[in-house]
Amino acid sequence: METRVYSVKEDWYARITIAVAFIALLLGGVFGVLQVISRTPYWPNLYEYLAGLGIGGGASELYYRGLTAHGVLLAIVLTTFYIVGVSAYLTPRVLGVNIKPQTLNVSLAMMVIGTALAAIAIIFGWANVLYTFYLPLVASPLFYIGAALLILGSWVFAAGVFISYLEWRRANPGVAIPVTFFGIMTTFIVWIMATIPLVFIVLKNHVPASLLGWEADALESRLFFWWFGHALVYFWLLPAITIWYYYVPKALGVPLFSETMAKIAFMLFILASTPVGLHHQLVDPGINPYFKYLQTVLTLIVASPSMLTAFNIIATMERAGRAGGGDGLFGWLFKQPWRDPVFTGLILALITFGSGGITGIINASYQLNNVVHNTAWVVGHFHTTVGTAVVLTFMAYTYLLIRDLYGRNVILRNVSLAVPILWFVGMMIFSISYYTAGLAGSPRRTSIVTYGGSIPPEWVLPMQIAAIGAIIFSLGGLIFLVQFFGSLASGARIPLTQPTLVIMNPHKPGPATILDNIRLIIVAAIILNIIAYSGALIEIYYLRGLSPVPPIHP
Ligand code: HAS
């Protein structure tokens, strides 16, 4: 007999959080367009124009304010809200267990209030510290309190997910965890492990510096920030991977090529997402190169589950394509449902991740990092990873949610396919041009695009082409947002039916194996973190000692 899943509260939560995520995409996107036009050589500096209208404290101040808003809205608000939303939607459907409604209420209230507080601080220019908020730059306490509430709200949600898992496990002893839920659980395990160092350092350094003017050590703060900061990228990526594993086989009507390989990939993410932050500090002085080397090795380990994922998804496609009559070396590629915007969006996101992943490996190489660090290259890297592998996946999957979660028909359905295509083409143009400009030394995170007053000619053309790419993918984003909000407002209503567990989990999970022993892998991850970070911490606290400096209000 089919088991029905009742998920009314979860759906209410998901509808709100996913809508908030796309409001963040809209606002963050506007700041992105402002920024790319203003930073392109010989293009109009829109920040100068706005400053001329008496807005803000000059073009440079507006640039940093806009960049902070862009980074926080897209990298933190969009991602966190979408991730909790899609997890709330999927969890009861794949486990058959409801999430405790109290956790949903509390988490939503905290996340919304936190976002509002941080937004006020950013809009009024009290937090021009970018999304990495490096000390000694300090923001208004509102910014840190807002960010803390947002994170704590997501912890409350994570607690709800873990409680549901325990309930499911009690009712299903000895059964393998469904792959989709494995992905959701991995996401929140990585998130909790990642945010512990962040919460520690914000309470120890940032809040006292901001509230009381206490001095703080910049390197100590950066070390804890990046301990969080690299795992953060897998918090973004893991739900996208989960959606690939869930939807691609479903669209093709075949099982995933290997569920075992998928679980191994998730386990490797739990193991190695956190002990790798030093690869963001390869050029920082004051950290012994041996520790950087150790974490570079671990970085190469955490890159491997992405390659396993690419293999698994492509093998699933090949199997389905061959079963559908595609022969020869590449015949199977022509047998894919390319007209389905969801499928095409997910696969274009995966292909773009190839570019983002390879540049990531380059970033992580000690010598090459010296060439690319803090240049436009890194901007190319993260627009292909979080900006496309993640965001394009979220947009594409949302076409299904408009129907199945919001109960609306998608408006302008005929243009849906244009969205992933414009995003992919625009992003390719943008990122390849930024890689090129970065290799020629064009810096990132600066309001000034000149070098000592003149612009090196090698920067000019790539940055101009990049801006054209940005306009192309922004157009794709705009069409999507018109469809999303337009469908919610005026799409024809369709009756929502409660899905059944059988539809969500078409293949009955087999008996649990060693791969379902999450506790073991968490313990291994903690041990690896202690090994990876203890040397650097001993160096900072005992060998070098702290060098606190007074806070600077930008
Ligand atoms: Fe990163 C900086 C290294 C993955 C995001 N990264 C950043 C920043 C962000 C970011 C936001 O080592 C900037 C932070 C800041 O503001 O300062 N990154 C890596 C490595 C990986 C990696 C080794 N990053 C990500 C992901 C992100 C993300 C994922 C977001 C979601 N990153 C770095 C480093 C820096 C850095 C340094 C610091 C740079 C500096 O100096 O500041 C790896 O996890 C990547 C592994 C992935 C692969 C790709 C596998 C292949 C796939 C597709 C193949 C497709 C094919 C085509 C073959 C190895 C998935 C198929 C064809 C068909 C038809 C289907």
Side-chain angles (χ1 to χ4, degrees):
M1 204 183 85
E2 292 189 351
T3 320
R4 280 195 173 280
V5 186
Y6 295 97
S7 52
V8 176
K9 185 76 184 184
E10 289 87 344
D11 287 4
W12 167 83
Y13 178 89
R15 279 188 208 109
I16 298 176
T17 48
I18 290 174
V20 173
F22 288 125
I23 294 172
L25 177 62
L26 175 68
L27 299 175
V30 170
F31 285 112
V33 172
L34 261 176
Q35 197 169 286
V36 74
I37 293 179
S38 304
R39 287 192 88 256
T40 300
Y42 307 116
W43 283 32
N45 185 336
L46 300 176
Y47 286 118
E48 263 171 22
Y49 174 74
L50 290 174
L53 296 177
I55 300 171
S60 282
E61 191 275 334
L62 279 179
Y63 165 79
Y64 291 110
R65 199 191 298 192
L67 184 54
T68 306
H70 178 67
V72 171
L73 281 166
L74 297 178
I76 309 289
V77 180
L78 158 68
T79 50
T80 312
F81 274 83
Y82 193 91
I83 291 167
V84 294
V86 81
S87 306
Y89 172 78
L90 286 172
T91 298
R93 287 172 166 80
V94 291
L95 282 190
V97 175
N98 284 107
I99 302 178
K100 293 266 171 280
Q102 300 87 328
T103 59
L104 298 173
N105 291 338
V106 175
S107 130
L108 187 64
M110 289 173 82
M111 289 176 63
V112 170
I113 295 171
T115 304
L117 295 181
I120 292 172
I122 296 171
I123 290 165
F124 285 99
W126 305 331
N128 293 350
V129 289
L130 308 188
Y131 89 107
T132 42
F133 47 91
Y134 289 151
L135 284 173
L137 293 183
V138 282
S140 146
L142 268 191
F143 176 78
Y144 302 114
I145 295 168
L149 278 175
L150 175 59
I151 289 177
L152 293 177
S154 67
W155 280 12
V156 174
F157 176 78
V161 169
F162 296 142
I163 294 170
S164 301
Y165 167 69
L166 293 176
E167 268 181 38
W168 174 85
R169 176 49 82 211
R170 271 195 296 275
N172 297 275
V175 175
I177 304 169
V179 171
T180 308
F181 184 72
F182 208 107
I184 294 171
M185 197 159 62
T186 305
T187 305
F188 287 100
I189 291 171
V190 167
W191 183 233
I192 301 287
M193 288 179 60
T195 40
I196 290 170
L198 180 76
V199 170
F200 166 76
I201 203 64
V202 167
L203 290 179
K204 176 177 181 293
N205 283 358
H206 295 72
V207 172
S210 164
L211 268 179
L212 308 166
W214 286 9
E215 298 191 339
D217 183 275
L219 183 62
E220 177 202 22
S221 309
R222 281 167 68 89
L223 184 98
F224 280 93
F225 179 85
W226 284 118
W227 200 342
F228 152 78
H230 195 76
L232 168 70
V233 314
Y234 298 113
F235 170 66
W236 300 329
L237 181 70
L238 280 159
I241 290 184
T242 304
I243 292 171
W244 299 343
Y245 283 146
Y246 170 64
Y247 187 72
V248 172
K250 202 174 161 73
L252 296 172
V254 293
L256 183 67
F257 177 75
S258 168
E259 291 207 349
T260 305
M261 193 189 288
K263 286 191 176 178
I264 291 175
F266 285 134
M267 289 210 145
L268 285 168
F269 278 121
I270 297 177
L271 193 69
S273 284
T274 31
V276 291
L278 286 189
H279 71 224
H280 288 259
Q281 298 183 268
L282 293 176
V283 300
D284 279 14
I287 302 171
N288 193 303
Y290 287 116
F291 308 138
K292 294 179 180 173
Y293 175 76
L294 172 64
Q295 295 209 11
T296 297
V297 174
L298 292 170
T299 303
L300 296 181
I301 292 178
V302 79
S304 56
S306 296
M307 294 190 232
L308 289 182
T309 301
F311 179 82
N312 211 348
I313 297 291
I314 296 167
T316 308
M317 289 168 66
E318 180 175 351
R319 189 151 71 176
R322 290 199 186 283
D327 46 17
L329 204 50
F330 294 115
W332 55 273
L333 266 178
F334 299 100
K335 298 286 176 188
Q336 308 296 320
W338 294 118
R339 286 181 186 280
D340 170 3
V342 183
F343 177 84
T344 302
L346 302 191
I347 300 306
L348 290 179
L350 174 88
I351 294 172
T352 314
F353 186 33
S355 157
I358 289 159
T359 50
I361 305 278
I362 291 169
N363 297 343
S365 317
Y366 207 155
Q367 296 87 337
L368 293 178
N369 186 271
N370 277 282
V371 179
V372 298
H373 184 68
N374 269 341
T375 69
W377 167 281
V378 177
V379 182
H381 165 68
F382 64 71
H383 278 83
T384 41
T385 46
V386 61
T388 304
V390 175
V391 174
L392 181 55
T393 297
F394 290 175
M395 291 196 301
Y397 185 62
T398 301
Y399 283 120
L400 291 181
L401 296 180
I402 292 175
R403 190 191 66 197
D404 296 345
L405 173 66
Y406 292 94
R408 299 285 186 159
N409 264 330
V410 178
I411 62 159
L412 307 173
R413 179 180 289 278
N414 293 344
V415 295
S416 301
L417 202 52
V419 169
I421 294 173
L422 285 170
W423 195 275
F424 172 75
V425 171
M427 200 55 94
M428 278 295 157
I429 296 173
F430 174 83
S431 57
I432 292 172
S433 308
Y434 261 38
Y435 295 149
T436 312
L439 287 178
S442 174
R444 70 168 179 142
R445 293 182 158 186
T446 58
S447 64
I448 300 163
V449 285
T450 60
Y451 188 76
S454 61
I455 307 177
E458 308 83 58
W459 300 359
V460 176
L461 191 60
M463 292 192 67
Q464 289 173 339
I465 297 175
I468 294 169
I471 291 167
I472 296 174
F473 75 76
S474 302
L475 184 64
L478 185 65
I479 298 173
F480 168 79
L481 288 168
V482 168
Q483 284 182 295
F484 178 75
F485 289 110
S487 304
L488 265 48
S490 63
R493 283 183 191 276
I494 38 176
L496 284 173
T497 49
Q498 281 292 341
T500 64
L501 276 181
V502 174
I503 292 176
M504 301 305 283
N505 293 328
H507 311 290
K508 205 174 175 329
T513 66
I514 179 93
L515 293 175
D516 296 286
N517 190 345
I518 301 279
R519 235 176 277 166
L520 187 71
I521 201 80
I522 294 177
V523 171
I526 293 171
I527 295 171
L528 209 54
N529 269 281
I530 294 171
I531 296 171
Y533 271 102
S534 48
L537 290 174
I538 290 171
E539 187 179 11
I540 287 187
Y541 287 119
Y542 298 105
L543 303 181
R544 181 177 70 91
L546 297 181
S547 313
V549 290
I552 298 169
H553 290 267

